[in-house]
Amino acid sequence: MRDPNNQLHIIKNLKIAVNNIITHPPQPGAIRKLLHDVVSVSQPAEGLVANVITAGDYDLNISATTPWFESYRECFLQSMPASDHEFLNHYVACMLVVSSGEPDPVEQFLKLSQEQHRIQHSSEYSYPKWFIPNTLKYYVLLHDVSTGEEQRADSIYEEMKQRYGTQGCYLLKINSRVSNRGADEQIPDPWSQYLQKNTIQNQDCYEDYTVVSNKNTDHLISDGIDSEIKDGLSNNFKTHPLQLDHPSGSLDSTDYMKASTSLQDSKKSNSGTPHGACLTLTDHDRIRQFIQEFTFRGLLPHIEKTIRQLNDQLISRKGLSRSLFSATKKWFSGSKVPEKSINELKNTSGLLYPPEAPELQIRKMADLCFLVQHYELAYSCYHTAKKDFLNDQAMLYAAGALEMAAVSAFLQPGAPRPYPAHYMETAIQTYRDICKNMVLAERCVLLSAEILKSQSKYSEAAALLIRLTSEDSDLRSALLLEQAAHCFINMRSPMVRKFAFHMILAGHRFSKAGQKKHALRCYCQAMQVYKGKGWSLAEDHINFTIGRQSFTLRQLDNAVSAFRHILINDSKQPPAQQGAFLREYLYVYKNATQLSPDGPLPQLPLPYINSSATRVFFGHDRRPAEGEKQAATHVSLDQEYDSESSQQWKELEEQVVSVINKGTIPSNFQPTQFCLNRYSDNSKFPLAVIEEPITVEVSFRNPLKVPLLLTDLSLLWKFQPKEFGAKHDGETKERGTCDEDMVGTEAIAEFLINSEETKVARLKLFPHQTGELHILGVVYNLGTVQGAVSLDGIDPSIGLQTGKFVSNGLSVRGRQDLEIQGPRLNNTKEEKTSIKYGPDRRLDPIITEEMPLLEVFFINFPTGLLCGEIRKAYVEFVNVSKCPLTALKVVSKHPEFFTFGGNTAVLTPLSPSASENCSAYKTVVTDPTSVRTALLSSASSADFGIGTGGSPEVIQVPLPDAVLLPGASVQLPMWLRGPDEEGVHEINFLFYYESIKKHSKMCHRVLRHTAVICTSRSLHIRATVCRSNALGDEEGRGDNMLLFVDVENINTSETGVKEFHIVQVSSNSKHWKLQKSVNISGDKDTKLASRERAKLCFKAVRCKNSEENYTFADIVFGNEQIVSSASPCGDFFFQSLSSEFKRTHVQSHTHASQRAVKQSFDETVRLIQRCSEVDLNIVVLWKAYVVEDNKQLILEGQHHVALNTIGKEAFSFPQKQELPETVLLKFFRPENTPVPARPTPEQLSNLIKTSLHYPESFNHSFHQKSLCLVPVTLLLSNCSQAVVDVMIDLRHKPTSSEALEIHGSFTWLGQTQYKLQLKGQEVYSLQLKACFVHTGVYNLGTPRVFAKLVDQVTLFETSQQNSMPALIIINNI
């Protein structure tokens, strides 16, 4: 078309909107409902791949398009009512359609034309609005090909051409009857792309009428501009079937019910039904041709003419002088309101112009130019109109002109001027603040935002969108906020947190507007930003809303998972809020589970389970002590794990197993573990016994500040029955918790966990069949407690009393699995370089066949003893199973602490004369007059089970018949001796026993007991032994010794011990025995009060050698003899011997390597050393008188001293050497060739024992004879087993003259040297004569004796300096 300057102007992609005529404006409520429906129907496509945006460390999945917003925008722009201040959606033409089937179509045309004129020009119709007074009328004759007569139609058409001209009418032939086409030739619905799913026409009853013409559109813009802007200006309406690209006149169709059905079909707006089904392809072409004819021959020429007219008016106006023009303006605008002050004007929406006002004519021309894409001309007209309106303070008109001027400027091809954003700003502000018209303001914002986005001015667009959010429309605010959020994320450097924040705001407004799905979507998109960033309260809020919205939309799984997140993150919410979250969660959960009641149990998020802290205990709970009976401590879940002690128990078990298996540990040996936890070795499948309970301790933690109530809590398991005895296994069956005859399950009725509490639950299973059990997890009902918040002050222990807490009725059943990660492997190189975990099998026990079960009780077992005190207790062994047990043994690291009596021991009889008749010893009454001489008895170590090979720590328990039958019990005496060291002693006993039947899986069982004994100090004993100077004993044999025993009472009086009595000293040795006591004191009983010390002296002689038996000699100080060779005295003696032996044996073992140097020399040294060795053990038996609660008790006990070397002090308890606080480090190089051990002078001096026999005083008459001769016998005794050469030298040592004067001098007569050879143990007597010349006291101990072994070269002198001086008195008569 040509513009007013006759320049050719090209229109691209013109679109025409054809609407029904509706004589009253659409209702705002209907428009709101329509917009709401448009948005709720439009949802993101199901299979749409989301756009992934990476911003910083965020990866966000965001829908790239927002079709709901586009639908809303189009619908909003389409449904805007026409207004007086602008003409964009006023009608420019009207189509009058009459069917050729009418009796008189021409008359009908006349009627329709009058009707249209009446509607446009009469004052009773204010709606619809018309562009110009002379609206273009276009007459259409509709002919139905299938029914009507074609000739008649043609003739009527000719008549119309005569009357209205060829440009003003048209004959449209279409088919409206069902054709004979086959179903396969179905042509697609031609109207589908133009019909909108919801249009404003559907609000009333009009949809029942034949639709003859259609309503307006807003704006028509070419498709040549940016797609975004095109959307913004809604120029691609999905329009009605005949919606043309131009506003066109329309007519109310009430009079013409019989119009063509095809058009009626095509116009029906129900999107569900297909339209135009009867149209053929030819019809499609005809309709297209009709629209083209109408546009090119009718509409565009009409518009061109109108623009010229308006332009001419404008030019003529410009030619007038300014003053004249203002006069005409006043004259034109006779109906103007009188002038007002600017403030008043601004407060109102300004004045109103009459329709023919010149300012409106400019606006009208601008709008027409805009519609036919003549944007340059449109812009200049808008610009002019804007100035006029502003001068008149007509703010509504001015805002409209500003808005369109901005759009025209943007749409001008080649962009001669920049987009005037400030025009839009002013327009929006005016609409909103002065005119109070939010609909127009919204239109402005929608257009401007699209334009700004197309120029990548996202920040400005977002600010604009946010500014229009208000309280009056939730839906609008939600959509604008969402668009603003998209602007933030699309910026050059995306503002992720702003995006998320505005998404949340949008979601909130969607929710208020009832758009649940969109609300949920917004929250979910925002959640991607807030998740895992530590903003827990924000996360809680979002999750809570997502949960609520999902629940409302019946997306129960999403709702459950959202609420689950709120509960399992460490919530910082106050207790009341947490309680609300929890109740909401339970409610949603209940609904979700009711949908699939038969489905698998769901996983519950609360309470937390610390899987690795799970402990598994096999066996019955410990019985509490009953009165005097104290059950073995064994193992229980209440004990803390101690790696050191568990290692000790393992060693004890290995020790006893190796003794049973003759020194080797079988390869399939698995140490018994009663309680499995995170520290134990869980790599092998644990063994459990049929019919014995398995207790699983599960550690629950409640992270919330409100209590949780678990009800009906039990274990979930799977079981595979297997017969271990049979050749082949039974078929594997998987069972759930329901099957009680295989595995019984114990349930806890109520289990309350207070706020933020960690609490353990102990759950039991009772296996009734052999096989493999797998414990999978726990199953329970999760609920809350009524009045949960006020429970803080209540004592948590109350929770366990059943029925104490009333659940508030809301609880759900679910499960949690116990998944335990094994220890990290770190053995091979591959394992060290990668992260691998071993298996943890503590929840997968193997149930084995029946085994015996032992219970042990201790009766009268003491907790405190004096060191060395002997106490008698009883042990009761009970077999509580259904099969007999045998091979009962006990192993302990401290065998010297207890004894069951020797193999031959008769039970200790009560001795009648014992003060309380309850002595633990076997006693015999002695004759009080008898001198303290030894009472002998003998016993072999084999009687006490010592030295028979094997380990002294493993002790056979003397069961009668060696078998304990099911249900039987036996009591055995057990003697205890307080350890020698004071303090608290933990003594571990491991009882080992087997079944009579041998099993493939479990060979033996053990029972543990830890005794805690507190010992306090009693006596300390030191003993030395030295050679007696007296020759020979009564039998004349040469060997006797003196034994000095030093006893000190080191007891502190706190223990209430008044005094100690030494009642008996016994010796036991294979070679020596005590003969008699040589105490000077006449007191029979040796009493020691606190800190007193006593010295005892005894004579010891050799006894007949015996390889097997030990000789026991008792020297009794009291009235009754304690038989030291019987139990328990003998037992403890032999045990102390073996532990002493063990100590020395270890030391000697270390030196063994250095011994193979000079074999011959070595033997010699050994022979010499042997002389000074003595193998004598002393047992000191005592009684202590204790006053306790005004009662006197008598305690008894014994101490052992082992004497090995002559002259060396020995102690009852090894002395502690106090180390200096700081010691300098010494570095030394060990010698490779050790120096052969030489005998010490002390050892050498013991080779030969000498003794002089002479009269004590000798009377001689020196007057008669000046020389006095005295006979002296020198006894030489060979202490060694070897032959010894002896040389005796009688010459005096040259000493100083002084010494001679003091002692006087005498001379030996006869040989000065003797050489003798003594056989082993031989005693030789040498007769000597001493000659004196004065009276006086003389020392005869001057002979020097040298000795050497026969085959040795060197002589070793035996010094006699340590022997007493041999004094003789010479008297003169």
Side-chain angles (χ1 to χ4, degrees), residues 494-564:
M495 301 173 85
V496 183
R497 293 202 289 273
K498 274 202 165 177
F499 160 77
F501 183 65
H502 286 88
M503 272 311 222
I504 296 285
L505 295 176
H508 176 62
R509 297 305 287 269
F510 270 130
S511 180
K512 282 173 76 176
Q515 299 278 354
K516 302 293 180 197
K517 284 187 179 173
H518 287 296
L520 178 59
R521 180 182 47 72
C522 288
Y523 274 102
C524 289
Q525 291 200 348
M527 188 59 182
Q528 301 177 80
V529 176
Y530 287 104
K531 197 157 82 188
K533 293 287 181 295
W535 296 344
S536 63
L537 295 178
E539 262 188 87
D540 287 352
H541 169 75
I542 298 170
N543 272 318
F544 184 69
T545 314
I546 290 175
R548 275 260 170 106
Q549 302 288 10
S550 303
F551 181 69
T552 316
L553 296 168
R554 305 308 290 163
Q555 301 177 6
L556 294 180
D557 289 349
N558 292 354
V560 166
S561 96
F563 280 117
R564 182 190 177 98

Side-chain angles (χ1 to χ4, degrees), residues 88 362-385 401 404-409 412 417:
L88 284 166
I362 302 177
R363 168 76 208 228
K364 199 175 279 186
M365 178 178 163
D367 283 353
L368 262 182
C369 293
F370 184 84
L371 291 177
V372 292
Q373 305 172 10
H374 202 322
Y375 299 121
E376 214 165 329
L377 188 53
Y379 175 77
S380 62
C381 293
Y382 284 132
H383 203 264
T384 312
M404 292 314 297
V407 175
S408 306
Q412 278 180 46
R417 53 174 63 81

Side-chain angles (χ1 to χ4, degrees), residues 632-683:
T633 53
H634 198 45
V635 183
S636 75
L637 281 168
D638 301 322
Q639 294 165 359
E640 286 295 314
Y641 178 81
D642 176 11
S643 58
E644 205 175 310
S645 73
S646 73
Q647 183 59 30
Q648 282 176 13
W649 288 116
K650 186 182 165 194
E651 286 169 9
L652 286 174
E653 190 174 351
E654 282 175 358
Q655 199 171 1
V656 66
V657 168
S658 74
V659 167
I660 297 281
N661 290 291
K662 306 195 173 41
T664 56
I665 293 179
S667 56
N668 62 349
F669 167 70
Q670 195 173 331
T672 310
Q673 297 192 96
F674 295 99
C675 182
L676 300 177
N677 52 31
R678 69 175 88 178
Y679 308 110
S680 53
D681 174 14
N682 304 327
S683 56

Side-chain angles (χ1 to χ4, degrees), residues 904-948:
T904 54
V906 190
L907 290 185
T908 308
L910 286 180
S911 43
S913 61
S915 53
E916 298 232 339
N917 293 347
C918 63
S919 169
Y921 291 113
K922 181 176 179 179
T923 57
V924 178
V925 179
T926 54
D927 175 12
T929 56
S930 70
V931 198
R932 294 180 193 175
T933 52
L935 303 160
L936 301 185
S937 58
S938 72
S940 88
S941 58
D943 293 344
F944 293 99
I946 308 287
T948 50

